[in-house]
Amino acid sequence: MSAQGVDTPSALRAVGALRQFDAETLRAICDRGGDVNDDVQARTAEIIERVRVDGDNALRELSLQFDGVALSCIEVPKSSCEQALSELDAPLRRALERAARNIASVHLAFMPAAVECSPEPGITIGRRPDPLRRVGVYAPGGRATYPSSLLMGAIPARIAGVAEVIVCSPPDESGFPSKAVMAAAALAQVDRVFAVGGAGAIAAMTFGTGTIPAVDRIVGPGNAYVAEAKIQLAYRVGIDSPAGPSELLVLADDSADPDLIARELVAQAEHDPDAAVIALLIDSSDDRVSLRRDEILACLERRVCETPRRDIVRSALRSRGAIISSTDLKQAIDFSNEWAPEHLMLLLKEREREAALSSLRNAGTIFVGASSSVAFGDYMTGANHVLPTAGAARRYSGLSTLDFVRWTTWQRVSRDAAARMAEDVGVFADAEGLTAHATAARAWGVRQ
């Protein structure tokens, strides 16, 4: 892939100035695989139907087919989770406990509150957040296991007051989810854990089976089949934002350390071969940009060689990696708001950084300043790492307590207010041809 007049190094999909990219190249940079291929859609639909019809039997068959595990039991005994927590290495347990405390603290502060207002005398409108009855948290397995994602889903649900929290996570060769995931489940005090994964787990939590109860909302990241199952079943169950491979956009001026940029790009690229990572350099001088770009490329090469997941990182950089440049901050902000990244990092001088922060609208989470590494947000700060990807940040927000409540609205109208509204409502209803509405309203035109 080349921009007009710019040679693209083989390590990255695109390198060059925004002004040099033609429309096709710009579309390629912005494309993050939002279109699911027909095979994934068809296979996911088939799995969903198998689970809907055959329930637990289908889950056992799917586990054998995809995980190579013959499940002796679908539900994980609570004692196994508690044992996993007790046997967890002390440093990891300490880190999980610290993360759990921070997640609880942040999401408690984010709790929505009930409100009332009175648009006219005698009219009172109220709205209150009521916790959902039961939610399901999906904790990924396979290429990597993520106890952090379990904490990010289960703890906000608990803070919101959800009555029952269940977890589904794929089994390993033991027939249970990973010990770290089970330990996180015990730490988050989830009610039930099930050793099922993939699209089958999403279908099970949607329809319910003999073992797994149906839930009101499903949250948590997963592979392409998990994401597709959530989308296909969104008409039956609430879901969080559609999520795909990890993303990072770094906005950097000449104050940014090239090696720090490289570290952050590699850290997000190691998640997935389809991860999208971009460094957007802001400078009016082409010569300075060229020099900084070369420095970043050299740091990238060194960092990639050092990481054990180098093959995954290289694949991500080739498919969706870029170092691009802009002559001014406004153009960079416009690009960011359009690209709508999952993670956005600001490596700008302090005054420009704060000004940019107020203008950036579409991002899952914004990391402000060099010491605000995305890795801290992934694990420890308490902000949620379940975030929208592939441009969905233009219409979705990151997971929070808001995802675990529904709003109940109530209205109270006094007799005097009813009498004052009666004729105007009657006129409205007549204009829409709803005569029974008009009659019901005008009955209050004479005080009762």
Side-chain angles (χ1 to χ4, degrees):
M1 174 75 56
S2 297
Q4 293 178 345
V6 176
D7 293 329
T8 304
S10 59
L12 294 170
R13 181 165 189 170
V15 169
L18 276 176
R19 68 178 184 274
Q20 295 174 302
F21 291 141
D22 57 23
E24 181 182 353
T25 301
L26 201 56
R27 279 195 301 271
I29 294 171
C30 292
D31 174 32
R32 280 104 89 197
D35 297 329
V36 180
N37 67 54
D38 293 341
D39 183 56
V40 170
Q41 289 179 328
R43 293 178 68 186
T44 300
E46 178 189 353
I47 290 169
I48 289 172
E49 184 62 13
R50 286 173 64 181
V51 174
R52 187 189 71 82
V53 173
D54 293 330
D56 289 343
N57 288 335
L59 294 176
R60 292 188 180 93
E61 293 168 357
L62 290 167
S63 179
L64 194 60
Q65 178 181 350
F66 293 113
D67 303 315
V69 176
L71 290 177
S72 57
C73 58
I74 291 174
E75 183 164 5
V76 178
K78 186 165 287 190
S79 60
S80 297
C81 294
E82 293 167 350
Q83 181 179 351
L85 180 59
S86 69
E87 294 176 352
L88 202 64
D89 289 344
L92 178 55
R93 177 166 182 164
R94 184 172 61 249
L96 286 174
E97 289 174 341
R98 182 178 182 182
R101 287 193 302 271
N102 288 349
I103 294 166
S105 177
V106 168
H107 288 79
L108 183 61
F110 289 170
M111 268 296 291
V115 295
E116 287 186 12
C117 69
S118 182
E120 293 182 17
I123 302 174
T124 305
I125 310 298
R127 195 168 186 249
R128 69 169 190 259
D130 291 330
L132 300 180
R133 174 181 55 97
R134 182 188 294 125
V135 301
V137 177
Y138 187 82
R143 184 181 288 120
T145 59
Y146 296 102
S148 57
S149 292
L150 190 153
L151 298 180
M152 295 287 179
I155 292 174
R158 282 293 188 218
I159 294 294
V162 172
E164 185 178 4
V165 180
I166 71 170
V167 168
C168 284
S169 189
D172 59 22
E173 60 276 4
S174 71
F176 289 156
S178 76
K179 288 188 180 297
V181 164
M182 290 195 295
L187 186 61
Q189 298 182 330
V190 304
D191 294 285
R192 303 173 72 183
V193 177
F194 303 95
V196 294
I202 306 303
M205 290 189 284
T206 300
F207 299 110
T209 69
T211 302
I212 301 176
V215 303
D216 300 314
R217 183 178 290 272
I218 300 171
V219 303
N223 63 18
Y225 293 93
V226 168
E228 176 62 18
K230 288 163 71 175
I231 291 170
Q232 290 190 21
L233 291 168
Y235 74 102
R236 291 290 300 264
V237 68
I239 65 169
D240 51 6
S241 61
S246 187
E247 305 171 349
L248 171 63
L249 174 63
V250 179
L251 298 187
D253 62 18
D254 59 6
S255 68
D257 176 4
D259 190 52
L260 187 151
I261 295 172
R263 289 202 309 266
E264 294 293 334
L265 296 179
V266 170
Q268 292 309 306
E270 75 172 346
H271 274 295
D272 192 290
D274 292 322
V277 292
I278 294 178
L280 175 46
L281 310 180
I282 304 159
D283 203 313
S284 59
S285 166
D286 289 340
D287 289 340
R288 284 197 301 265
V289 164
S290 179
L291 178 62
R292 291 168 57 212
R293 183 178 64 218
D294 290 345
E295 290 174 340
I296 294 169
L297 286 169
C299 294
L300 263 179
E301 184 60 32
R302 185 175 68 255
R303 291 289 175 183
V304 171
C305 290
E306 292 171 354
T307 181
R309 295 168 70 85
R310 63 181 65 87
D311 290 343
I312 293 173
V313 174
R314 287 193 187 281
S315 179
L317 294 175
R318 282 195 302 268
S319 62
R320 293 191 175 89
I323 300 177
I324 57 182
S325 61
S326 172
T327 56
D328 64 80
L329 183 57
K330 183 182 182 304
Q331 184 185 43
I333 290 172
D334 289 344
F335 175 85
S336 177
N337 283 336
E338 179 62 27
W339 202 68
E342 177 190 23
H343 306 103
L344 172 60
M345 191 171 195
L346 299 184
L347 300 179
L348 308 173
K349 298 179 184 71
E350 185 173 357
R351 187 171 66 179
E352 287 81 2
R353 191 171 66 210
E354 296 307 315
L357 180 61
S358 65
S359 300
L360 289 161
R361 292 287 182 268
N362 304 330
T365 295
I366 303 174
F367 296 82
V368 185
S371 57
S372 302
S373 174
V374 179
F376 295 142
D378 281 344
Y379 291 105
M380 196 60 66
T381 63
N384 213 290
H385 78 199
V386 179
L387 303 168
T389 65
R394 289 191 292 270
R395 53 196 179 275
Y396 288 95
S397 305
L399 195 68
S400 76
T401 46
L402 285 170
D403 291 277
F404 300 106
V405 302
R406 62 162 305 281
W407 291 90
T408 298
T409 300
W410 55 269
Q411 307 180 37
R412 184 178 290 119
V413 179
S414 71
R415 288 177 179 270
D416 286 346
R420 293 196 306 272
M421 286 191 294
E423 183 56 32
D424 280 348
V425 172
V427 170
F428 249 131
D430 286 340
E432 294 185 352
L434 300 175
T435 56
H437 281 66
T439 299
R442 287 188 173 116
W444 292 95
V446 178
R447 293 186 182 179
Q448 303 295 305

